[in-house]
Amino acid sequence: VAGLIDKSLLHHRRGPDGETRVRMLELVREFAAELLADCADAEQVRARHATHITGWVDDASEAMLRAQPDLWVQRIDAAFPDVAQAFGWNVAHRPADAVRLVGALGLFFHRTGMVDLAYQWLQQVEDVDVPSPLEIRRAATCGYVLFGRLDLIAARHTVQRALDLASSAGNVLYEALAMIDVAY
């Protein structure tokens, strides 16, 4: 990594939390993607990337709900090109993980106003069957998105569905969040 920084292929940037982040220049990223396309294990690399990003966003989502939401929104925003790439790969190869990812991004989409993109992503995974915890998160995210798009009646129904699912599953955190959203 130090050699790549010395050659100006990577650069340092202070993250929102004050930590140093190493970023790849877009031109270098495009070139690396071309090289990856020619590798025999390109799909394995993309799968590992999608798994890593999906897990990281899942963890970030839980942290965002508990403390420092602005910090986590900034962190996710800084990594959003990777998040979008992971979402696209998941849609094509692991649809349940695509639901997991979009469900974990609900508060992020709400706080950043990226509701049109979120709506597009939700449409891509609306017919994917998932277990109850993922369905709760998808419904909560959908409620945020519909509210942001000013479709208030549909938002109210969707948030109520998230509340019903969370109550049935005993998911206290999402039950509380859905109650707040229903009241709002």
Side-chain angles (χ1 to χ4, degrees):
V1 172
L4 294 173
I5 291 170
D6 290 342
K7 292 175 182 136
S8 298
L9 297 174
L10 300 177
H11 60 93
H12 287 277
R13 179 184 285 169
R14 265 287 161 226
D17 51 5
E19 292 180 359
T20 300
R21 305 254 189 238
V22 177
R23 301 294 301 170
M24 187 179 298
L25 300 173
E26 190 57 35
L27 186 60
V28 175
R29 179 185 295 273
E30 290 172 13
F31 180 66
E34 290 175 16
L35 292 177
L36 177 62
D38 294 334
C39 289
D41 62 347
E43 277 307 300
Q44 291 175 329
V45 171
R46 287 186 183 98
R48 286 195 315 262
H49 176 264
T51 298
H52 170 74
I53 294 297
T54 302
W56 178 79
V57 169
D58 206 15
D59 292 345
S61 171
E62 292 298 316
M64 188 183 334
L65 292 173
R66 298 180 193 293
Q68 299 179 309
D70 292 336
L71 174 65
W72 285 103
V73 165
Q74 291 172 352
R75 286 178 176 170
I76 294 170
D77 193 46
F80 201 75
D82 286 318
V83 173
Q85 191 173 43
F87 178 76
W89 192 90
N90 282 337
V91 166
H93 300 281
R94 293 190 297 229
D97 278 351
V99 174
R100 179 179 167 212
L101 187 57
V102 77
L105 290 167
L107 188 57
F108 170 80
F109 286 135
H110 179 68
R111 285 180 166 252
T112 60
M114 297 172 65
V115 294
D116 290 332
L117 177 65
Y119 186 74
Q120 292 170 8
W121 284 16
L122 283 163
Q123 287 181 318
Q124 292 180 56
V125 297
E126 68 184 343
D127 295 330
V128 177
D129 288 328
V130 292
S132 179
L134 295 181
E135 186 58 40
I136 293 166
R137 291 169 73 181
R138 176 170 49 189
T141 296
C142 191
Y144 285 140
V145 169
L146 291 169
F147 183 80
R149 292 174 57 93
L150 301 178
D151 189 347
L152 303 181
I153 294 170
R156 172 70 169 87
H157 290 300
T158 304
V159 170
Q160 184 63 52
R161 182 167 184 271
L163 175 58
D164 294 343
L165 290 167
S167 296
S168 295
N171 186 324
V172 178
L173 176 60
Y174 276 88
E175 186 176 7
L177 291 170
M179 282 181 182
I180 292 167
D181 291 342
V182 166
Y184 190 65

